[in-house]
mmCIF file of all heavy atoms in Angstrom:
data_model
loop_
_atom_site.group_PDB
_atom_site.id
_atom_site.type_symbol
_atom_site.label_atom_id
_atom_site.label_comp_id
_atom_site.label_asym_id
_atom_site.label_seq_id
_atom_site.Cartn_x
_atom_site.Cartn_y
_atom_site.Cartn_z
ATOM 1 N N ASP A 456 -8.482 33.332 5.514
ATOM 2 C CA ASP A 456 -9.484 32.382 5.037
ATOM 3 C C ASP A 456 -8.989 31.644 3.803
ATOM 4 O O ASP A 456 -9.194 30.438 3.667
ATOM 5 C CB ASP A 456 -10.787 33.122 4.711
ATOM 6 C CG ASP A 456 -11.902 32.168 4.303
ATOM 7 O OD1 ASP A 456 -12.259 31.292 5.115
ATOM 8 O OD2 ASP A 456 -12.391 32.291 3.162
ATOM 9 N N ALA A 457 -8.301 32.368 2.913
ATOM 10 C CA ALA A 457 -7.749 31.742 1.703
ATOM 11 C C ALA A 457 -6.646 30.759 2.071
ATOM 12 O O ALA A 457 -6.539 29.680 1.467
ATOM 13 C CB ALA A 457 -7.217 32.813 0.759
ATOM 14 N N ARG A 458 -5.828 31.119 3.076
ATOM 15 C CA ARG A 458 -4.764 30.202 3.513
ATOM 16 C C ARG A 458 -5.359 28.920 4.087
ATOM 17 O O ARG A 458 -4.897 27.819 3.793
ATOM 18 C CB ARG A 458 -3.881 30.897 4.560
ATOM 19 C CG ARG A 458 -2.988 31.977 4.000
ATOM 20 C CD ARG A 458 -1.881 32.347 4.981
ATOM 21 N NE ARG A 458 -2.433 32.951 6.196
ATOM 22 C CZ ARG A 458 -2.595 34.248 6.377
ATOM 23 N NH1 ARG A 458 -2.275 35.098 5.402
ATOM 24 N NH2 ARG A 458 -3.078 34.727 7.519
ATOM 25 N N HIS A 459 -6.390 29.071 4.921
ATOM 26 C CA HIS A 459 -7.036 27.901 5.521
ATOM 27 C C HIS A 459 -7.683 27.022 4.453
ATOM 28 O O HIS A 459 -7.558 25.788 4.480
ATOM 29 C CB HIS A 459 -8.080 28.351 6.533
ATOM 30 C CG HIS A 459 -8.823 27.211 7.160
ATOM 31 N ND1 HIS A 459 -10.043 26.754 6.672
ATOM 32 C CD2 HIS A 459 -8.522 26.426 8.233
ATOM 33 C CE1 HIS A 459 -10.448 25.749 7.408
ATOM 34 N NE2 HIS A 459 -9.559 25.528 8.365
ATOM 35 N N LYS A 460 -8.361 27.636 3.502
ATOM 36 C CA LYS A 460 -9.031 26.887 2.443
ATOM 37 C C LYS A 460 -8.037 26.145 1.565
ATOM 38 O O LYS A 460 -8.258 24.993 1.189
ATOM 39 C CB LYS A 460 -9.882 27.829 1.597
ATOM 40 C CG LYS A 460 -10.719 27.133 0.547
ATOM 41 C CD LYS A 460 -11.600 28.114 -0.208
ATOM 42 C CE LYS A 460 -12.433 27.394 -1.278
ATOM 43 N NZ LYS A 460 -13.281 28.356 -2.034
ATOM 44 N N ALA A 461 -6.918 26.810 1.243
ATOM 45 C CA ALA A 461 -5.911 26.187 0.379
ATOM 46 C C ALA A 461 -5.267 24.986 1.070
ATOM 47 O O ALA A 461 -5.113 23.914 0.471
ATOM 48 C CB ALA A 461 -4.849 27.211 -0.002
ATOM 49 N N PHE A 462 -4.908 25.160 2.347
ATOM 50 C CA PHE A 462 -4.207 24.069 3.038
ATOM 51 C C PHE A 462 -5.154 22.945 3.435
ATOM 52 O O PHE A 462 -4.732 21.791 3.565
ATOM 53 C CB PHE A 462 -3.481 24.604 4.271
ATOM 54 C CG PHE A 462 -2.379 23.697 4.737
ATOM 55 C CD1 PHE A 462 -1.209 23.590 4.010
ATOM 56 C CD2 PHE A 462 -2.513 22.937 5.891
ATOM 57 C CE1 PHE A 462 -0.185 22.744 4.415
ATOM 58 C CE2 PHE A 462 -1.499 22.089 6.311
ATOM 59 C CZ PHE A 462 -0.331 22.000 5.569
ATOM 60 N N SER A 463 -6.445 23.272 3.625
ATOM 61 C CA SER A 463 -7.408 22.234 4.014
ATOM 62 C C SER A 463 -7.581 21.182 2.918
ATOM 63 O O SER A 463 -7.965 20.042 3.202
ATOM 64 C CB SER A 463 -8.766 22.855 4.342
ATOM 65 O OG SER A 463 -9.347 23.439 3.188
ATOM 66 N N THR A 464 -7.284 21.562 1.664
ATOM 67 C CA THR A 464 -7.383 20.582 0.572
ATOM 68 C C THR A 464 -6.282 19.534 0.656
ATOM 69 O O THR A 464 -6.347 18.522 -0.036
ATOM 70 C CB THR A 464 -7.304 21.292 -0.801
ATOM 71 O OG1 THR A 464 -6.015 21.912 -0.942
ATOM 72 C CG2 THR A 464 -8.394 22.332 -0.949
ATOM 73 N N CYS A 465 -5.269 19.798 1.503
ATOM 74 C CA CYS A 465 -4.136 18.867 1.618
ATOM 75 C C CYS A 465 -4.242 17.935 2.822
ATOM 76 O O CYS A 465 -3.453 16.993 2.937
ATOM 77 C CB CYS A 465 -2.818 19.639 1.718
ATOM 78 S SG CYS A 465 -2.465 20.722 0.329
ATOM 79 N N THR A 466 -5.169 18.199 3.739
ATOM 80 C CA THR A 466 -5.190 17.453 5.001
ATOM 81 C C THR A 466 -5.439 15.954 4.797
ATOM 82 O O THR A 466 -4.830 15.129 5.472
ATOM 83 C CB THR A 466 -6.250 18.032 5.954
ATOM 84 O OG1 THR A 466 -7.524 18.061 5.284
ATOM 85 C CG2 THR A 466 -5.876 19.429 6.394
ATOM 86 N N SER A 467 -6.337 15.618 3.878
ATOM 87 C CA SER A 467 -6.614 14.200 3.625
ATOM 88 C C SER A 467 -5.370 13.492 3.120
ATOM 89 O O SER A 467 -5.048 12.372 3.550
ATOM 90 C CB SER A 467 -7.748 14.056 2.607
ATOM 91 O OG SER A 467 -8.939 14.620 3.084
ATOM 92 N N HIS A 468 -4.655 14.151 2.220
ATOM 93 C CA HIS A 468 -3.439 13.548 1.662
ATOM 94 C C HIS A 468 -2.354 13.405 2.717
ATOM 95 O O HIS A 468 -1.644 12.386 2.762
ATOM 96 C CB HIS A 468 -2.933 14.401 0.491
ATOM 97 C CG HIS A 468 -1.730 13.811 -0.186
ATOM 98 N ND1 HIS A 468 -0.509 14.442 -0.206
ATOM 99 C CD2 HIS A 468 -1.569 12.632 -0.850
ATOM 100 C CE1 HIS A 468 0.360 13.688 -0.859
ATOM 101 N NE2 HIS A 468 -0.255 12.593 -1.261
ATOM 102 N N ILE A 469 -2.218 14.396 3.591
ATOM 103 C CA ILE A 469 -1.228 14.316 4.671
ATOM 104 C C ILE A 469 -1.552 13.150 5.605
ATOM 105 O O ILE A 469 -0.657 12.398 6.012
ATOM 106 C CB ILE A 469 -1.169 15.641 5.443
ATOM 107 C CG1 ILE A 469 -0.600 16.754 4.551
ATOM 108 C CG2 ILE A 469 -0.321 15.500 6.711
ATOM 109 C CD1 ILE A 469 -0.696 18.135 5.148
ATOM 110 N N CYS A 470 -2.824 12.966 5.919
ATOM 111 C CA CYS A 470 -3.236 11.818 6.755
ATOM 112 C C CYS A 470 -2.895 10.499 6.066
ATOM 113 O O CYS A 470 -2.414 9.559 6.713
ATOM 114 C CB CYS A 470 -4.733 11.887 7.040
ATOM 115 S SG CYS A 470 -5.235 13.224 8.138
ATOM 116 N N ALA A 471 -3.143 10.416 4.758
ATOM 117 C CA ALA A 471 -2.829 9.203 3.997
ATOM 118 C C ALA A 471 -1.335 8.916 4.018
ATOM 119 O O ALA A 471 -0.909 7.754 4.130
ATOM 120 C CB ALA A 471 -3.328 9.344 2.562
ATOM 121 N N ILE A 472 -0.525 9.968 3.925
ATOM 122 C CA ILE A 472 0.933 9.804 3.973
ATOM 123 C C ILE A 472 1.360 9.240 5.325
ATOM 124 O O ILE A 472 2.166 8.300 5.390
ATOM 125 C CB ILE A 472 1.632 11.157 3.701
ATOM 126 C CG1 ILE A 472 1.426 11.572 2.246
ATOM 127 C CG2 ILE A 472 3.125 11.074 4.021
ATOM 128 C CD1 ILE A 472 1.864 12.992 1.959
ATOM 129 N N VAL A 473 0.819 9.799 6.406
ATOM 130 C CA VAL A 473 1.210 9.376 7.754
ATOM 131 C C VAL A 473 0.855 7.909 8.002
ATOM 132 O O VAL A 473 1.695 7.129 8.464
ATOM 133 C CB VAL A 473 0.542 10.278 8.817
ATOM 134 C CG1 VAL A 473 0.756 9.703 10.223
ATOM 135 C CG2 VAL A 473 1.101 11.691 8.736
ATOM 136 N N ILE A 474 -0.375 7.514 7.672
ATOM 137 C CA ILE A 474 -0.794 6.133 7.968
ATOM 138 C C ILE A 474 -0.130 5.125 7.041
ATOM 139 O O ILE A 474 -0.135 3.920 7.330
ATOM 140 C CB ILE A 474 -2.331 5.969 7.899
ATOM 141 C CG1 ILE A 474 -2.854 6.236 6.483
ATOM 142 C CG2 ILE A 474 -3.006 6.854 8.918
ATOM 143 C CD1 ILE A 474 -4.332 5.933 6.317
ATOM 144 N N THR A 475 0.465 5.583 5.946
ATOM 145 C CA THR A 475 1.185 4.679 5.043
ATOM 146 C C THR A 475 2.641 4.539 5.437
ATOM 147 O O THR A 475 3.166 3.427 5.567
ATOM 148 C CB THR A 475 1.095 5.169 3.584
ATOM 149 O OG1 THR A 475 -0.270 5.194 3.178
ATOM 150 C CG2 THR A 475 1.882 4.250 2.655
ATOM 151 N N TYR A 476 3.315 5.661 5.657
ATOM 152 C CA TYR A 476 4.766 5.623 5.838
ATOM 153 C C TYR A 476 5.205 5.281 7.255
ATOM 154 O O TYR A 476 6.288 4.687 7.431
ATOM 155 C CB TYR A 476 5.391 6.947 5.403
ATOM 156 C CG TYR A 476 5.484 7.091 3.901
ATOM 157 C CD1 TYR A 476 4.717 8.026 3.220
ATOM 158 C CD2 TYR A 476 6.331 6.272 3.159
ATOM 159 C CE1 TYR A 476 4.797 8.151 1.848
ATOM 160 C CE2 TYR A 476 6.420 6.386 1.785
ATOM 161 C CZ TYR A 476 5.651 7.326 1.129
ATOM 162 O OH TYR A 476 5.734 7.443 -0.233
ATOM 163 N N VAL A 477 4.413 5.618 8.276
ATOM 164 C CA VAL A 477 4.829 5.313 9.654
ATOM 165 C C VAL A 477 4.960 3.800 9.874
ATOM 166 O O VAL A 477 6.025 3.315 10.289
ATOM 167 C CB VAL A 477 3.877 5.955 10.683
ATOM 168 C CG1 VAL A 477 4.147 5.409 12.086
ATOM 169 C CG2 VAL A 477 4.041 7.472 10.684
ATOM 170 N N PRO A 478 3.905 2.980 9.592
ATOM 171 C CA PRO A 478 4.097 1.526 9.751
ATOM 172 C C PRO A 478 5.088 0.947 8.756
ATOM 173 O O PRO A 478 5.759 -0.043 9.038
ATOM 174 C CB PRO A 478 2.688 0.956 9.541
ATOM 175 C CG PRO A 478 1.931 2.004 8.804
ATOM 176 C CD PRO A 478 2.513 3.303 9.230
ATOM 177 N N ALA A 479 5.222 1.586 7.574
ATOM 178 C CA ALA A 479 6.184 1.103 6.568
ATOM 179 C C ALA A 479 7.609 1.228 7.086
ATOM 180 O O ALA A 479 8.408 0.285 6.993
ATOM 181 C CB ALA A 479 6.020 1.883 5.271
ATOM 182 N N PHE A 480 7.945 2.381 7.650
ATOM 183 C CA PHE A 480 9.292 2.576 8.186
ATOM 184 C C PHE A 480 9.535 1.695 9.402
ATOM 185 O O PHE A 480 10.644 1.163 9.579
ATOM 186 C CB PHE A 480 9.510 4.046 8.544
ATOM 187 C CG PHE A 480 9.869 4.903 7.366
ATOM 188 C CD1 PHE A 480 9.101 6.005 7.026
ATOM 189 C CD2 PHE A 480 10.969 4.597 6.575
ATOM 190 C CE1 PHE A 480 9.427 6.787 5.931
ATOM 191 C CE2 PHE A 480 11.304 5.373 5.476
ATOM 192 C CZ PHE A 480 10.525 6.476 5.145
ATOM 193 N N PHE A 481 8.520 1.535 10.248
ATOM 194 C CA PHE A 481 8.667 0.659 11.411
ATOM 195 C C PHE A 481 8.991 -0.768 10.960
ATOM 196 O O PHE A 481 9.918 -1.402 11.477
ATOM 197 C CB PHE A 481 7.388 0.667 12.242
ATOM 198 C CG PHE A 481 7.445 -0.227 13.453
ATOM 199 C CD1 PHE A 481 7.925 0.250 14.661
ATOM 200 C CD2 PHE A 481 7.020 -1.549 13.386
ATOM 201 C CE1 PHE A 481 7.990 -0.575 15.775
ATOM 202 C CE2 PHE A 481 7.080 -2.383 14.486
ATOM 203 C CZ PHE A 481 7.570 -1.888 15.691
ATOM 204 N N THR A 482 8.232 -1.254 9.972
ATOM 205 C CA THR A 482 8.452 -2.610 9.463
ATOM 206 C C THR A 482 9.824 -2.752 8.835
ATOM 207 O O THR A 482 10.549 -3.726 9.075
ATOM 208 C CB THR A 482 7.364 -2.960 8.429
ATOM 209 O OG1 THR A 482 6.085 -2.902 9.052
ATOM 210 C CG2 THR A 482 7.575 -4.353 7.868
ATOM 211 N N PHE A 483 10.210 -1.770 8.019
ATOM 212 C CA PHE A 483 11.489 -1.845 7.303
ATOM 213 C C PHE A 483 12.672 -1.868 8.267
ATOM 214 O O PHE A 483 13.552 -2.720 8.175
ATOM 215 C CB PHE A 483 11.602 -0.649 6.351
ATOM 216 C CG PHE A 483 12.907 -0.607 5.603
ATOM 217 C CD1 PHE A 483 13.110 -1.401 4.481
ATOM 218 C CD2 PHE A 483 13.929 0.228 6.022
ATOM 219 C CE1 PHE A 483 14.317 -1.368 3.805
ATOM 220 C CE2 PHE A 483 15.136 0.274 5.343
ATOM 221 C CZ PHE A 483 15.332 -0.529 4.233
#
Side-chain angles (χ1 to χ4, degrees):
D456 184 60
R458 288 196 295 268
H459 178 266
K460 185 177 180 181
F462 200 72
S463 65
T464 64
C465 301
T466 54
S467 298
H468 183 243
I469 293 171
C470 290
I472 291 170
V473 171
I474 63 173
T475 299
Y476 283 112
V477 169
F480 279 123
F481 179 89
T482 299
F483 178 80

